[in-house]
Amino acid sequence: SYMRVLQVKKKFNKPPSSQNIRTVGSRDNCKTAHELAKRSINDIKVKILTGEKISLLVIDDDDKMSGKKFIKTVKGRLKNVSCFYANNKNKQLSTSIKDTILIAAVFSSVAAWKGRSGISAELMDILNKSVKASKYSIVIGFCSPYILENLEAETVINAYSDTDVSQEAAGEIFSKLSL
């Protein structure tokens, strides 16, 4: 009976077969990933009146030119969006953000090489000043939610991840409202 138990265990403890790369990256898997990303931001919908001036500010603490998918998605849904980009090399505060609807996307990963957690003090200063200068501010964190916990924006959304599906899902929350 001991040998039969060992044979059964051996039969059921086979190592899993390797996944075919086409299965892992299949359309169904991508669709599921997109749906989970949408759910992670709670299916929030933001309607912006046609004619409102919109500023899109990308804060990239990792200096990786992050946010391309988010920018593309937002620009596809909202026309006449002015884009601004700030990283640790380009720390310019734009005066064009004053009295606009601000959509700010914050990209920051936790990394030992930074010597800190969160975004740099200079970039946080740019974000805070932009929020205060804007007419209404919507900040989306593609980072740890703790980075934005003391931010005084009207709306703070945590997307948690900077993957393309998360950026696209976050960009899809915006639509125009015509009166």
Side-chain angles (χ1 to χ4, degrees):
S1 107
Y2 174 74
M3 292 306 286
R4 285 194 313 256
V5 169
L6 286 179
Q7 287 175 349
V8 170
K9 281 186 173 186
K10 191 175 183 179
K11 180 180 176 183
F12 287 105
N13 285 333
K14 289 182 180 178
S17 61
S18 63
Q19 288 284 342
N20 181 336
I21 193 69
R22 283 177 272 145
T23 302
V24 172
S26 72
R27 187 181 312 232
D28 286 341
N29 289 13
C30 292
K31 185 177 176 184
T32 301
H34 185 76
E35 183 60 33
L36 291 173
K38 281 177 69 172
R39 287 184 190 178
S40 77
I41 56 173
N42 301 323
D43 287 331
I44 296 168
K45 298 293 180 206
V46 177
K47 297 193 182 301
I48 297 177
L49 289 174
T50 302
E52 289 281 0
K53 290 183 181 178
I54 303 165
S55 297
L56 176 56
L57 171 64
V58 175
I59 302 282
D60 181 8
D61 187 54
D62 299 328
D63 301 332
K64 297 188 314 187
M65 297 301 295
S66 298
K68 291 176 184 170
K69 190 68 165 185
F70 180 71
I71 293 168
K72 181 179 178 184
T73 305
V74 170
K75 282 185 160 187
R77 299 178 71 83
L78 304 171
K79 303 301 179 216
N80 301 322
V81 176
S82 300
C83 289
F84 305 95
Y85 190 85
N87 62 20
N88 290 300
K89 295 172 187 148
N90 174 26
K91 301 174 193 170
Q92 298 294 324
L93 175 63
S94 174
T95 57
S96 301
I97 290 173
K98 185 171 174 47
D99 296 325
T100 66
I101 303 288
L102 173 67
I103 300 170
V106 179
F107 293 86
S108 180
S109 60
V110 177
W113 58 266
K114 287 184 182 179
R116 61 180 157 70
S117 61
I119 64 176
S120 69
E122 295 92 349
L123 291 177
M124 184 56 91
D125 187 51
I126 288 171
L127 181 59
N128 280 320
K129 286 179 179 176
S130 298
V131 164
K132 286 180 181 156
S134 68
K135 184 178 186 178
Y136 187 87
S137 57
I138 304 157
V139 179
I140 303 172
F142 297 94
C143 56
S144 167
Y146 301 111
I147 292 173
L148 305 175
E149 68 183 352
N150 295 320
L151 191 66
E152 294 183 13
E154 281 81 9
T155 303
V156 177
I157 301 166
N158 292 306
Y160 303 102
S161 169
D162 66 351
T163 62
D164 281 353
V165 291
S166 292
Q167 291 183 49
E168 186 175 17
E172 289 175 354
I173 68 172
F174 298 101
S175 61
K176 282 192 172 185
L177 178 64
S178 299
L179 291 177

